Amino acid sequence: MKKIQFSALLTIGLMLSAGEGGAQQINDMQLVHTLGRVENAAPAIDVALLVEEAKASAGKGVANLPNWQKLSKLSQLIVDIEFENDSVAIEPKSYRTVGLIADALHHPNLRRYKFLVVGHTSSTGDAQHNLELSAQRANAITEALSTTFAIAPDRLYSIGVGQEWPLDAANPKARENRRVQLINLGLVK
């Protein structure tokens, strides 16, 4: 994805950090407001097709694929959730962030929506391994949200894109490329 498009993503979403420091501190009501911005009917997103395209594009990028470009038009949030190195184990300090997300998803303004959890990695390591790791991490977040925090599983979809959709394309190994995105897919049917 071009740098201009990433800037648009950042203005749509807010950065939420599990740790101390540079990222903006946010509360569940700010999450509700950010994720609840649905201006029109959300475009139909076929998650299974996104998964297939991500698998077929390992090492090639997904940002310019038409189905992936639809995602940039949706209300979304970029979240910094830390995992143990090369693992799907969520760092304990990140559970506060996952809890804030759960609080927001339980809010009446968001209860009727479904969400895509997108896992990302930096480009350290093999592209195929990163794709699998990012999918496992996205699954870990959806599992934590649905089990520990009682979010209905039919409202959550997960996908990993590995290193294929970097936030900082000029520096693909940058830490900020390792992230999770929440994307509002529209109303639950």
Side-chain angles (χ1 to χ4, degrees):
M1 186 178 264
K2 294 181 176 136
K3 206 168 200 163
I4 294 171
Q5 291 172 319
F6 280 120
S7 296
L9 277 177
L10 284 176
T11 58
I12 292 170
L14 297 173
M15 191 69 146
L16 175 61
S17 175
E20 307 295 322
Q24 177 180 356
Q25 293 299 315
I26 190 168
N27 63 41
D28 62 328
M29 288 311 297
Q30 290 167 314
L31 291 171
V32 169
H33 177 71
T34 300
L35 289 172
R37 288 188 220 159
V38 181
E39 297 183 18
N40 297 317
I45 303 293
D46 183 342
V47 177
L49 181 59
L50 292 175
V51 170
E52 289 305 312
E53 288 178 345
K55 287 179 183 176
S57 296
K60 302 174 197 163
V62 295
N64 292 322
L65 298 173
N67 291 304
W68 286 88
Q69 288 180 344
K70 288 180 187 178
L71 294 178
S72 67
K73 296 176 174 72
L74 300 174
S75 176
Q76 54 193 279
L77 177 70
I78 297 171
V79 186
D80 182 14
I81 296 178
E82 295 183 31
F83 293 86
E84 292 182 15
N85 187 42
D86 200 30
S87 168
V88 298
I90 300 169
E91 289 281 351
K93 64 183 175 183
S94 289
Y95 267 93
R96 179 182 180 282
T97 303
V98 178
L100 282 172
I101 293 166
D103 289 345
L105 297 182
H106 278 297
H107 191 277
N109 292 354
L110 294 182
R111 273 197 191 134
R112 57 192 180 142
Y113 294 110
K114 56 189 175 183
F115 295 89
L116 180 64
V117 178
V118 184
H120 300 268
T121 67
S122 63
S123 68
T124 57
D126 176 69
Q128 187 61 41
H129 174 72
N130 287 339
L131 180 65
E132 293 167 9
L133 180 61
S134 66
Q136 293 168 351
R137 287 177 172 177
N139 287 338
I141 297 300
T142 58
E143 184 176 328
L145 287 169
S146 64
T147 58
T148 305
F149 297 102
I151 302 296
D154 66 339
R155 295 179 55 210
L156 300 170
Y157 301 87
S158 62
I159 187 170
V161 295
Q163 63 196 39
E164 306 307 324
W165 197 2
L167 196 55
D168 183 355
N171 188 7
K173 292 183 179 184
R175 185 190 179 291
E176 59 263 21
N177 291 326
R178 298 188 302 263
R179 66 195 189 281
V180 174
Q181 261 176 298
L182 270 80
I183 301 175
N184 186 332
L185 293 176
L187 296 173
V188 174
K189 295 182 181 181

